[in-house]
């Protein structure tokens, strides 16, 4: 995967601003889709993954971060990237079974799950 390319380039899908404007969140998402994926921060990935944007490219990148630091945080709280990954719909995980197994291993190895993540961890493990 070429990390110099943006999600827009990788997916070959340009999002235009809708007529009449959009929410601040969607403006941010649209802007992040234009940023090279190699330059995305933990917070950028958390936000995009949380909106189910670019999962085919971003879940593998997020896993690189989570392997080294399962509780990596963006701007919200300790482990917020993991929370974004854990809360993807079951349908998304059917597309990425290898990543799902890796997430299971990472979560199972956590010795002290922060209270903010307990529900997300339990929900993911129940899939």
């Amino acid at each position: 995967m070429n990390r110099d390319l943006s999600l827009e380039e990788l997916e070959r899908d340009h999002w235009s601003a809708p007529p009449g404007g959009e929410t601040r969140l969607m403006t941010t998402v649209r802007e992040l889709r234009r940023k090279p994926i190699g330059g995305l921060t933990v917070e950028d990935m958390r936000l995009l993954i949380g909106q189910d944007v670019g999962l085919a490219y971003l879940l593998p990148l997020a896993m690189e971060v989570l392997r080294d630091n399962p509780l990596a945080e963006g701007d919200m709280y300790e482990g917020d990237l993991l929370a974004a990954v854990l809360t993807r719909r079951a349908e998304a995980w059917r597309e990425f079974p290898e990543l799902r197994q890796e997430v299971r291993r990472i979560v199972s190895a956590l010795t002290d799950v922060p209270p903010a993540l307990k529900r997300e961890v339990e929900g993911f493990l129940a899939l």
Side-chain angles (χ1 to χ4, degrees), residues 72-114:
E73 73 183 90
D75 292 347
M76 302 291 283
Y77 55 89
E78 181 182 44
D80 60 4
L81 178 60
L82 180 59
V85 168
L86 293 174
T87 55
R88 295 311 86 220
R89 295 182 323 268
E91 297 83 38
W93 291 113
R94 282 195 274 282
E95 293 180 41
F96 310 106
E98 305 84 21
L99 291 177
R100 179 181 178 195
Q101 289 306 315
E102 187 170 3
V103 173
R104 278 186 172 282
R105 284 190 296 275
I106 288 171
V107 168
S108 297
L110 287 176
T111 56
D112 189 24
V113 177

Side-chain angles (χ1 to χ4, degrees), residues 45-91:
M45 287 188 282
R46 180 200 66 79
L47 191 140
L48 290 165
I49 290 169
Q51 296 299 310
D52 291 317
V53 172
L55 294 181
Y57 301 98
L58 297 180
L59 285 176
L61 287 180
M63 294 308 300
E64 290 177 12
V65 172
L66 296 173
R67 279 182 209 115
D68 292 334
N69 181 5
L71 299 179
E73 73 183 90
D75 292 347
M76 302 291 283
Y77 55 89
E78 181 182 44
D80 60 4
L81 178 60
L82 180 59
V85 168
L86 293 174
T87 55
R88 295 311 86 220
R89 295 182 323 268
E91 297 83 38

